[in-house]
Amino acid sequence: EPEVTQTPSHQVTQMGQEVILRCVPISNHLYFYWYRQILGQKVEFLVSFYNNEISEKSEIFDDQFSVERPDGSNFTLKIRSTKLEDSAMYFCASRGLADTQYFGPGTRLTVL
Amino acid sequence: AQTVTQSQPEMSVQEAETVTLSCTYDTSESNYYLFWYKQPPSRQMILVIRQEAYKQQNATENRFSVNFQKAAKSFSLKISDSQLGDTAMYFCASSGGTSYGKLTFGQGTILTVHP
């Protein structure tokens, strides 16, 4: 069964450093998403991506964040200068024509 | 804007018994979808069940079923014959047809199944 994959599973970085989180969505899906979950809190929407551009973004998704689909398979989230408060679980999700999103296993980001 | 509220931070149930998790939502969308996701300790988000708002029939997936009350904006999840593997955080979520399908999540309910 097709699934969304994410790498790395855990990323540790120093405050101020840039990180890139990678995702491979399900191959025939058209819509891609990033969500964030701070430990013990609810899952929050960051950004949606369709037809090679951002279709919607939340207030959290400020100028420090960017997304890219550099080729036909990868979907990346970049944080330019990480802050302590960026420590969270980051989930990638994708969906096809139906409205169901399938999530990857997540990347746990720890900013020191 | 959509909001989703789960009023039960924690629930517990004995193995083989039935438990119901509550969820209420608010949306201005005319066409929307509702979901329940399970998050076990591994923190993977696993789809449990989905409901299309224009369908009156309640969705069912094996031991999982929903009670969808559109007028009351209520969407509860019933788990029958609870199993130890059902122990997890459960999130209710909604998505609207005009917002590229972004999901809005509730705060979650921690469900513990006791042997």
Side-chain angles (χ1 to χ4, degrees), chain B residues 23-44:
Chain B
C23 173
T24 57
Y25 65 93
D26 196 11
T27 180
S28 56
E29 308 278 2
S30 56
N31 181 27
Y32 56 92
Y33 299 81
L34 298 164
F35 305 87
W36 279 97
Y37 282 89
K38 171 184 176 181
Q39 187 179 44
S42 67
R43 299 189 73 182
Q44 169 89 45

Side-chain angles (χ1 to χ4, degrees), chain A residues 36 44-46 57-63 65 86:
Chain A
R36 180 180 82 174
E44 300 173 289
F45 167 76
L46 291 177
K57 59 184 180 180
S58 71
E59 292 176 353
I60 303 168
F61 195 89
D62 61 22
D63 292 343
F65 291 88
D86 293 328

Side-chain angles (χ1 to χ4, degrees), chain A residues 33 35 37 56 99-101, chain B residues 37 39 50 95 99-101:
Chain A
Y33 307 84
Y35 293 86
Q37 184 185 31
E56 189 173 2
D99 221 274
T100 300
Q101 293 182 31
Chain B
Y37 282 89
Q39 187 179 44
R50 74 189 278 267
S95 74
S99 58
Y100 291 93

Side-chain angles (χ1 to χ4, degrees), chain B residues 45-57:
Chain B
M45 295 289 287
I46 302 165
L47 177 69
V48 175
I49 199 165
R50 74 189 278 267
Q51 174 80 43
E52 295 162 52
Y54 62 87
K55 288 189 177 177
Q56 292 187 336
Q57 187 173 9

Side-chain angles (χ1 to χ4, degrees), chain A residues 31 33 35 37-39 41-43 45 48 50 55-56 89 91 95 98-105 108, chain B residues 4 33 35 37 39 42-45 47 50 89 91 95-97 99-108:
Chain A
Y31 300 85
Y33 307 84
Y35 293 86
Q37 184 185 31
I38 294 171
L39 187 63
Q41 297 186 22
K42 67 177 178 180
V43 180
F45 167 76
S48 59
Y50 170 71
S55 48
E56 189 173 2
M89 195 77 159
F91 291 102
R95 73 175 176 102
D99 221 274
T100 300
Q101 293 182 31
Y102 295 91
F103 283 74
R108 184 156 68 100
Chain B
V4 178
Y33 299 81
F35 305 87
Y37 282 89
Q39 187 179 44
S42 67
R43 299 189 73 182
Q44 169 89 45
M45 295 289 287
L47 177 69
R50 74 189 278 267
M89 174 82 93
F91 289 100
S95 74
S99 58
Y100 291 93
K102 76 170 185 185
L103 288 170
T104 300
F105 286 86
Q107 302 92 321

Side-chain angles (χ1 to χ4, degrees), chain B residues 53-111:
Chain B
Y54 62 87
K55 288 189 177 177
Q56 292 187 336
Q57 187 173 9
N58 289 322
T60 339
E61 284 288 340
N62 301 313
R63 299 182 294 107
F64 298 89
S65 61
V66 298
N67 183 4
F68 174 45
Q69 301 287 328
K70 191 171 184 178
K73 294 185 177 176
S74 167
F75 181 62
S76 60
L77 175 70
K78 185 171 88 170
I79 305 174
S80 304
D81 185 27
S82 298
Q83 299 176 0
L84 297 178
D86 295 334
T87 293
M89 174 82 93
Y90 286 81
F91 289 100
C92 178
S94 70
S95 74
T98 60
S99 58
Y100 291 93
K102 76 170 185 185
L103 288 170
T104 300
F105 286 86
Q107 302 92 321
T109 297
I110 300 172
L111 175 68

